[in-house]
Amino acid sequence: MTKKTTNRLTRAGLALAGFTTLQSTTIADAKVKPTFTEDIAPIIYNNCTECHRNGQAAPFTLKSYNDVKKRARNIIKATEDHYMPPWHPVEGHGKFVDERRLTADELATLKNWHKTGMVEGPVDKLPEPPKFTSDWLLGEPDLIVTMPKAYTMRADGSDIYRSFCIPMDLKEDKWVAGFEVRPSARAVLHHVIIRIDQSGEARKADGAKGTPGFSGMRGIGRGSRRGGSNDVFSGSLGGLGGWAVGGTPRILPLGLARKLPAGADIVLNSHFHPTGKEEEEQTTVGLYFTDKKPDRTLIGFQVPPVFGSISGLDIPAGESNYELKSKFTTPVDIDLIGVGAHMHYIGHTAKAHATLPDSTIKPLFYIDDWDFNWQGRYIYDEPIRLPAGTTVEGTVSFDNSAANPHNQFNPPRRVRWGLESTDEMGSVIFSAVPASEEDLDEFNAAVRDHAIDEARLMAERRISERAGSNRSGLADRLEQFRNRRPGNDDGRLGGDWRGRLGTRLKELDKNNNGEIEPDEIDDRSRRYIRFIDTNKDGRVSKEELSRMNSR
């Protein structure tokens, strides 16, 4: 393990140190005969140099006149196609921090410069290039940690999901306001979820079978859920958050941070995709701390929940516009902080809007041309207040047709939910805080219940389909089920699906103590038990069974 502690840096404005000072020089109108120093450099410095510099993922630098002139043709092509700068949210669906969306005037200026001979211009007109305090995008981290040993990713075969423990040995609680993930082999690492282990189990499991890490994407040894996310139910997945290819690190606004407890270890749940050659991956993470515990608690929620795994995602071969939709209604006032999306190769669009209690529609997020290689998380320039009773609807769509150039199968095949990159998943992912910290538990419970209700709907649909129910009758019953409220039934597991589930739960209770112990849960039942086990202690108590019956 490599561990490095640095001096604390001022966080405000750190992400683009020296970058925003150039905004006043941004071109207002397209120039017919632009020069590099007067017209092109401000565009490049404001939108490109942050990544196109030494130590970053971009394959070449864009800092000098010669750098830009040599790549001018490619720059024109990439910007006209809106491939660069990598900014995918559609304008008018949320306003975000550090937007990199070139204007029509800026695009025309770039094109005119190339047409008119790429003149350098007066040297004294060149703006000062952006200054970066380090080769880390957010500046030098407070703590830098690295996987103890490199993992060898094979050249071929299926994707690999493996977890790695980074021992932390912290003597006091820390509050993490941001992090930056640095793969050593960027081509093979698709995404990482950073979990927290307080039990020491991950440290024991890592390398126990002779190979760095341990199998699977499971999170182990999590502590109390109070004041934190709902594990699989939330966007943060029970830890510090996640990183995916193309993601740009950000410091959380409003003094927000996630807790990293003293004595806890970091667990990297890593998804690898083979590239045709063997690669060594030893991931490094830079952590940025706040000085104090935040006043408000960040919670994630997804529409559809759990990346669509409990929404019946099943895309027929040749289907060009398969949609998956979900709605979440907040019972309390909340402030939306950020948003993003996640899909695989045949993902097409991701969109979300809010319907306020007065029926006003508020656009929240829209990506109209999904790119698997650029999976950003976006922070709103100002938190969006959603009053209690607001419904957030999310829709993700998929193009499984032969016309989709990103489709990995030719001819197209049926695609269902799964962890492999050749499978699919999808959701719009929000981070939010309750307007009042007193409403935290109620908001957290609503996020959990949203996922539980989605799972129940899918289970009833599948059972009804197997029983041969007609689709129109099923639709009516599903709508009735969704509108059902706690306290409106007789307190028993009712209906065909609920009766079958009750019977199955009784079968699991082999010692007849009215609870389901960890050793009574078999592999067949584990998937739905996790939705009933609301406190995540690995067992289903009498209270949890009673709570489920009362819904």
Side-chain angles (χ1 to χ4, degrees), residues 477-493:
R477 294 205 316 279
L478 287 175
E479 185 62 26
Q480 293 171 4
F481 189 87
R482 181 176 290 279
N483 293 331
R484 187 179 299 161
R485 293 291 183 268
N488 289 349
D489 55 24
D490 59 5
R492 295 177 291 108
L493 280 174

Side-chain angles (χ1 to χ4, degrees), residues 310-488:
I310 52 176
S311 302
L313 190 153
D314 190 347
I315 311 170
E319 174 62 59
S320 63
N321 188 35
Y322 178 91
E323 290 187 341
L324 204 61
K325 294 186 177 184
S326 181
K327 296 179 180 180
F328 168 74
T329 300
T330 176
V332 300
D333 293 355
I334 62 173
D335 291 327
L336 295 184
I337 302 300
V339 64
H342 182 71
M343 291 180 283
H344 291 170
Y345 282 103
I346 62 172
H348 183 209
T349 66
K351 192 172 187 178
H353 69 269
T355 303
L356 306 184
D358 64 1
S359 299
T360 300
I361 304 296
K362 188 174 187 63
L364 298 175
F365 184 67
Y366 185 28
I367 289 179
D368 62 352
D369 189 11
W370 175 256
D371 188 336
F372 179 75
N373 295 309
W374 294 101
Q375 303 196 34
R377 295 290 181 266
Y378 307 95
I379 294 177
Y380 292 108
D381 67 340
E382 295 289 342
I384 297 177
R385 173 61 59 89
L386 300 181
T390 297
T391 296
V392 177
E393 180 172 343
T395 303
V396 289
S397 73
F398 304 84
D399 181 358
N400 194 20
S401 69
N404 182 1
H406 303 296
N407 198 332
Q408 297 185 88
F409 298 113
N410 187 18
R413 304 178 188 175
R414 176 188 184 187
V415 176
R416 290 184 284 186
W417 193 94
L419 294 173
E420 303 286 338
S421 58
T422 52
D423 300 321
E424 268 303 339
M425 57 177 63
S427 63
V428 179
I429 306 164
F430 288 96
S431 57
V433 293
S436 170
E437 191 70 3
E438 294 178 355
D439 292 331
L440 175 63
D441 287 341
E442 187 174 358
F443 181 39
N444 225 345
V447 173
R448 180 195 65 231
D449 290 347
H450 175 222
I452 293 172
D453 288 343
E454 193 89 2
R456 286 172 171 161
L457 290 174
M458 183 179 71
E460 178 161 317
R461 181 172 63 249
R462 287 183 173 176
I463 290 174
S464 296
E465 288 172 350
R466 290 169 186 168
S469 298
N470 68 73
R471 297 183 63 87
S472 60
L474 174 61
D476 291 341
R477 294 205 316 279
L478 287 175
E479 185 62 26
Q480 293 171 4
F481 189 87
R482 181 176 290 279
N483 293 331
R484 187 179 299 161
R485 293 291 183 268
N488 289 349

Side-chain angles (χ1 to χ4, degrees), residues 16 18-19 22-23 25-27 35-53 60-76 78-79 84-86 100 102 106-107 109-111 113 126-130 132:
L16 297 175
F19 220 58
L22 299 173
Q23 295 297 328
T25 61
T26 300
I27 298 168
T35 68
F36 176 79
T37 57
E38 296 175 286
D39 308 301
I40 302 303
I43 299 175
I44 298 298
Y45 291 168
N46 279 326
N47 298 283
C48 309
T49 307
E50 179 190 14
C51 295
H52 285 270
R53 59 186 173 100
F60 51 84
T61 61
L62 290 176
K63 295 178 65 177
S64 69
Y65 167 70
N66 288 330
D67 287 343
V68 179
K69 180 180 179 181
K70 182 169 65 173
R71 307 280 183 179
R73 187 184 298 274
N74 290 337
I75 291 171
I76 303 304
T79 54
M84 289 286 163
R100 293 197 193 96
L102 294 186
E106 289 172 324
L107 292 171
T109 297
L110 288 169
K111 190 172 184 178
W113 183 64
L126 180 69
E128 186 176 352
F132 300 94

Side-chain angles (χ1 to χ4, degrees), residues 508 510-511 515-522 526 538-539:
L508 291 177
K510 294 181 174 57
N511 61 8
E515 298 185 347
I516 301 175
E517 308 290 342
D519 60 359
E520 295 175 327
I521 302 173
D522 56 27
R526 199 173 306 279
R539 70 182 66 234

Side-chain angles (χ1 to χ4, degrees), residues 1 11-12 31 55 86 100 108 115 134 140 172 176 192 218 231 248 253 301 303 354 365 373 401 494 536:
M1 176 184 69
R11 298 295 171 228
K31 296 292 185 69
R100 293 197 193 96
K115 282 183 177 180
S134 81
E140 199 70 12
E172 60 181 7
V176 180
V192 171
R218 66 187 186 276
D231 189 31
T248 301
F301 68 92
V303 280
F365 184 67
N373 295 309
S401 69
K536 304 303 168 195

